Amino acid sequence: MELESIHENAKRLMEILRLRTPPLAIKMLKSEAEIPPNAVRPLRNMGHHLDLCQAFAMSRWGGKTIAMLKEDMWCFEPVVGYGLAEPPQEFLEGENRYPFSIMTREAARKWAHSFPRLKVGEYVGILSSPLVKCTFKPDLFITYCDPSQLTQLLIAKNCIDGEDITCRLGGHAACVYAVVPVLQNKQCVVASPCRGDRRIAMTQYNEIIFSAPIEMLREFVKALEYLEEHEWGYPWMFELKPEYELSNNYAKIGEKMGLKYNK
């Protein structure tokens, strides 16, 4: 998909879903040579480190293109998740979790060993930018949305291929859970913004994350437009009405199962 098409589809996605902030374009960097000239390098250009969720926030809310290498990272969990360095034994023993947010060493160790991780050394960093104006070809896009917008995206995914999304939810390291499974499995993912994401990176209490391979962007827009054409569009009309009018296909299947509808 060419950049012009990516930008057009990103704008259409924002328009249909009435998103508050643009989806993020995310690219994993295999070398510093892939960093575009307009990208901000936090340590070099700003004089300080950032948590990755803060870099995402700068892209979402400020429209910045941010390149985060290992040297720019303040939180170590994306360094582990993206394979920017070998995880130390202390991490594998769960010492960042026990006894603070996990009650036993065994449980903390279990969490650490199941942490999503890319191969060490495959990438040197990560690039984020608003999808509507990115200057690079992303690997995936991330949408911060409210629960109703997420529902419409899940309906659109089902509209595309008849399949639901199966994913792993966690309360930690949203930047890892929203990216690594998409890269590893070429699948869509729902992730819950983590405590850090919400506390220090401006993620709103009603927001949740939806991620997908960039190759599916146009498919999602087509599905959302299809839903609009077939009276399944967003936003929805609200009503609290008993025995509301069912569509013919719903009523037909219900009647086959013995449900009685008023004519």
Side-chain angles (χ1 to χ4, degrees), residues 2 5 24 52 63 77 98 105 109 116 123-124 128 140 153 157 161 171-172 189 213 238 244 252:
E2 300 297 324
S5 178
L24 291 180
L52 183 56
E77 287 181 340
Y98 175 81
R105 286 188 180 276
R109 191 178 300 114
Y123 300 107
V124 300
S128 65
L140 65 143
L153 283 165
K157 171 61 171 64
D161 57 17
H172 301 295
V189 165
F238 296 101
Y244 61 91
K252 181 179 179 180

Side-chain angles (χ1 to χ4, degrees), residues 198-210:
R198 296 193 188 278
R199 290 178 64 238
I200 62 174
M202 299 173 62
T203 299
Q204 305 299 291
Y205 282 173
N206 69 332
E207 288 182 318
I208 195 163
I209 296 169
F210 180 89

Side-chain angles (χ1 to χ4, degrees), residues 187-232:
Q187 67 180 31
C188 301
V189 165
V190 176
S192 178
C194 58
R195 188 169 179 256
D197 210 343
R198 296 193 188 278
R199 290 178 64 238
I200 62 174
M202 299 173 62
T203 299
Q204 305 299 291
Y205 282 173
N206 69 332
E207 288 182 318
I208 195 163
I209 296 169
F210 180 89
S211 306
I214 193 62
E215 293 81 8
M216 293 193 70
L217 175 61
R218 178 55 189 154
E219 291 182 81
F220 269 101
V221 172
K222 287 175 64 177
L224 290 166
E225 289 175 339
Y226 181 92
L227 292 168
E228 282 187 333
E229 293 167 3
H230 289 78
E231 300 183 357
W232 273 70

